[in-house]
Amino acid sequence: MRIPLQIAVIFAICLAGEFLNRVVGIPIPGNILGMVLLLILLCTKILKPEQISGVSSFFLNHLALFFLPPSIAIMTVGDDILSQWPTLLLLCIVLTLISLAATGLTTQFLIGRQEKRLNIEQLEDEEMKQATRGKK
């Protein structure tokens, strides 16, 4: 797809997310709903990654520009942030620890699940080998 068409697809998905938020009343921000819709479209292969790769690469290459508005907004409320720094520091530490714990537990769960699958496959292979030996 050409770049303008790719941009149109991305904006249409964002618009659908905003529609779900405002008109349907789903209490999740429209941009998050748009990302979920994009994920669903990609996972169901309705939308192929190649169809939006050009604009996706552009956005990823210029990702730093998307952080300018929030950074400037933080600078404008700098005094408020400075007055609340102990709370913000504590929040950052606690949320970092929660993220680390969630990531570790998820990884352990997925590794355990994969090991169980491998063990089941090995047992099935051994049973098939024994069954074929018994027939001979």
Side-chain angles (χ1 to χ4, degrees), residues 114-127:
Q114 185 178 23
E115 287 175 352
K116 285 180 185 176
R117 282 186 185 165
L118 290 174
N119 288 338
I120 290 171
E121 288 175 6
Q122 289 174 349
L123 288 173
E124 289 173 351
D125 288 344
E126 289 176 14
E127 288 175 359

Side-chain angles (χ1 to χ4, degrees), residues 50-106:
E50 303 84 44
Q51 293 174 310
I52 55 170
S53 63
V55 74
S56 299
S57 296
F58 174 80
F59 284 150
L60 287 173
N61 289 337
H62 297 87
L63 190 62
L65 294 176
F66 296 109
F67 287 100
L68 283 177
S71 300
I72 292 170
I74 288 173
M75 285 191 286
T76 60
V77 293
D79 293 335
D80 295 336
I81 290 174
L82 285 176
S83 67
Q84 299 293 325
W85 76 265
T87 306
L88 292 173
L89 180 63
L90 180 65
L91 278 173
C92 286
I93 292 169
V94 169
L95 292 175
T96 299
L97 293 175
I98 289 172
S99 297
L100 285 171
T103 302
L105 291 171
T106 303

Side-chain angles (χ1 to χ4, degrees), residues 36-49 51:
V36 170
L37 286 174
L38 179 62
L39 177 65
I40 290 169
L41 291 172
L42 288 169
C43 288
T44 57
K45 300 196 190 298
I46 294 171
L47 183 66
K48 294 177 180 57
Q51 293 174 310

